[in-house]
């Protein structure tokens, strides 16, 4: 996969996607959104990929938002189109059949913060900063910020960030539950890879079921969501991996999962 705005690397069962526009602090332009879509469509079809990590090129920024130079020239119709396309990409990442880990190396602002929230796990360097500064541009977020942020950190804290447009440090983001793991910049990628390889060793069919159960259930009333869980639990009970996992526990050995 060759892209102008992304670098893709394979490391065993891991795919590492780097947003590569360091001169613009990795801001996502229209091409980057289109390439992210192509990239994740291809990774979704690649059966060797069990987990993906997404990060930003350089030391300063993960993604400093949507590309403001493009937004400046947009009218209402173009804005709606861009928001629609961007949301398709981020919702696709959220619904991937394997986990996507954001390794946040610097600024995660606007669309960058929204990208981290579409991922399943967020690991951040203590140099990273998070924020939804759209209000400073006379805008509301266009890629899920008004919806995923309150779901992740609660309505009060989300409205604080959305209405003030202020940035918070990675440490604050960690304390608020926006970040799962806090590391030094030097340890960021190793930490993300360690989490990724740990998940890659699990049963990929159980991982897929887990992601689907949470993704489908979170938008349903609890009684219906519990039924979704029942179906996934029933499915997992019929897999070879469940037989292997329970047998390995009783035989006091490491399980060897096959993903079926
Ligand atoms: N877009 C384009 N270029 C950007 C950029 C961005 N988001 N962020 C930074 N850059 C560019 C700068 O213009 C500068 O370019 P040169 O002047 O060197 O050519 C270069 O990156 C380095 O940035 P700075 O010189 O500003 O670096 P500093 O360390 O001084 O400041 C900063 C770093 C991150 C605090 C600052 O760059 C900054 O405030 N950046 C903007 C952050 C921001 O507001 N991001 C956008 C959030 S809004 C929509 C859908 C979605 C959205 C909007 C509309 N529709 C569907 C219509 C959402 C948009 C967002 O994401």
């Amino acid at each position: 996969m060759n892209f102008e705005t992304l670098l893709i690397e394979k490391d065993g069962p891991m795919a590492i996607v780097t947003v590569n526009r360091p001169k613009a602090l990795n801001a996502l332009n229209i091409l980057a959104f289109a390439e992210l879509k192509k990239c994740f469509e291809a990774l979704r079809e690649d059966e060797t990929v069990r987990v993906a990590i997404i990060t930003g090129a350089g030391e300063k920024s993960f993604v400093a938002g949507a590309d403001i130079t493009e937004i400046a020239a947009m009218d209402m119709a173009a804005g709606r189109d861009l928001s629609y396309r961007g949301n398709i990409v981020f919702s696709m990442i959220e619904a991937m059949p394997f986990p996507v880990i954001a390794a946040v190396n610097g600024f995660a602002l606007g669309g960058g913060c929204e990208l981290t929230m579409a991922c399943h796990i967020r690991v951040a360097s203590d140099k990273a900063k998070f924020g939804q500064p759209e209000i400073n541009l006379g805008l509301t977020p266009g890629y899920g910020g008004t919806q995923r942020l309150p779901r992740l950190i609660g309505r009060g804290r989300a409205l604080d960030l959305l209405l003030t447009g202020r940035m918070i440090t990675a440490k604050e983001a960690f304390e608020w539950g926006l970040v799962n793991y806090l590391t030094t910049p030097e340890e960021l990628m190793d930490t993300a890879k360690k989490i990724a390889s740990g998940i890659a060793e699990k049963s990929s069919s159980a991982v897929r079921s887990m992601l689907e159960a949470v993704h489908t259930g979170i938008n349903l009333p609890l009684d219906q969501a519990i039924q979704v869980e029942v179906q996934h639990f029933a499915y997992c009970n019929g897999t070879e991996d469940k037989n292997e996992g329970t047998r390995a526990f009783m035989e006091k050995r490491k399980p060897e999962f096959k993903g079926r």
Side-chain angles (χ1 to χ4, degrees):
M1 285 189 277
N2 279 325
F3 296 113
E4 206 174 294
T5 65
L6 306 176
L7 300 171
I8 317 296
E9 192 191 322
K10 279 287 301 290
D11 183 357
M14 274 179 251
I16 300 164
V17 178
T18 304
V19 181
N20 187 31
R21 300 189 70 223
K23 285 187 186 146
L25 301 186
N26 304 320
L28 297 175
N29 59 1
I30 292 170
L31 180 62
F33 275 111
E35 291 192 338
L36 273 175
K37 182 163 180 282
K38 271 197 199 143
C39 165
F40 277 92
E41 279 169 351
L43 295 179
R44 194 174 50 193
E45 298 307 315
D46 183 341
E47 287 179 5
T48 65
V49 176
R50 307 277 291 274
V51 58
I53 296 173
I54 183 157
T55 192
E59 289 173 6
K60 194 167 166 182
S61 184
F62 173 72
V63 167
D67 192 311
I68 297 172
T69 59
E70 287 183 351
I71 292 170
M74 273 178 201
D75 62 11
M76 202 183 283
R80 183 171 296 128
D81 185 55
L82 184 73
S83 180
Y84 179 74
R85 285 165 194 264
N87 274 307
I88 287 179
V89 179
F90 285 9
S91 296
M92 190 175 90
I93 291 174
E94 192 175 44
M96 288 301 277
F98 51 74
V100 183
I101 299 172
V104 188
N105 53 311
F107 291 114
L109 302 175
C113 187
E114 290 166 304
L115 175 57
T116 73
M117 293 189 286
C119 295
H120 304 102
I121 294 176
R122 283 155 292 281
V123 186
S125 122
D126 53 22
K127 293 272 181 331
K129 295 229 168 90
F130 292 77
Q132 296 286 161
E134 288 86 346
I135 192 78
N136 301 328
L137 302 171
L139 280 167
T140 56
Y143 303 120
T146 59
Q147 303 308 312
R148 290 196 183 95
L149 192 59
R151 281 168 171 78
L152 265 173
I153 63 172
R155 180 173 152 157
R157 284 172 165 165
L159 279 169
D160 171 14
L161 292 188
L162 292 165
L163 293 173
T164 65
R166 74 187 177 98
M167 285 186 224
I168 55 170
T169 61
K171 185 167 175 287
E172 284 173 286
F174 176 71
E175 285 160 1
W176 286 10
L178 182 56
V179 162
N180 301 91
Y181 299 84
L182 193 58
T183 76
T184 61
E186 297 73 32
E187 287 170 347
L188 176 71
M189 284 311 287
D190 280 350
T191 306
K193 285 182 183 178
K194 211 187 228 177
I195 297 161
S197 54
I199 295 172
E201 283 178 14
K202 315 267 184 226
S203 156
S204 59
S205 63
V207 166
R208 195 167 49 241
S209 265
M210 199 81 75
L211 290 170
E212 270 179 38
V214 172
H215 184 61
T216 311
I218 202 154
N219 294 317
L220 293 174
L222 186 61
D223 55 343
Q224 291 173 31
I226 292 290
Q227 291 313 312
V228 172
E229 182 176 278
V230 168
Q231 283 160 24
H232 281 286
F233 184 76
Y235 166 77
C236 286
N237 267 280
T239 62
E240 284 179 34
D241 279 356
K242 174 257 178 173
N243 293 339
E244 167 62 8
T246 49
R247 205 181 306 122
F249 173 79
M250 290 184 288
E251 292 169 4
K252 301 190 187 303
R253 61 173 174 81
K254 213 174 159 208
E256 284 176 33
F257 293 119
K258 300 274 191 311
R260 49 181 191 261

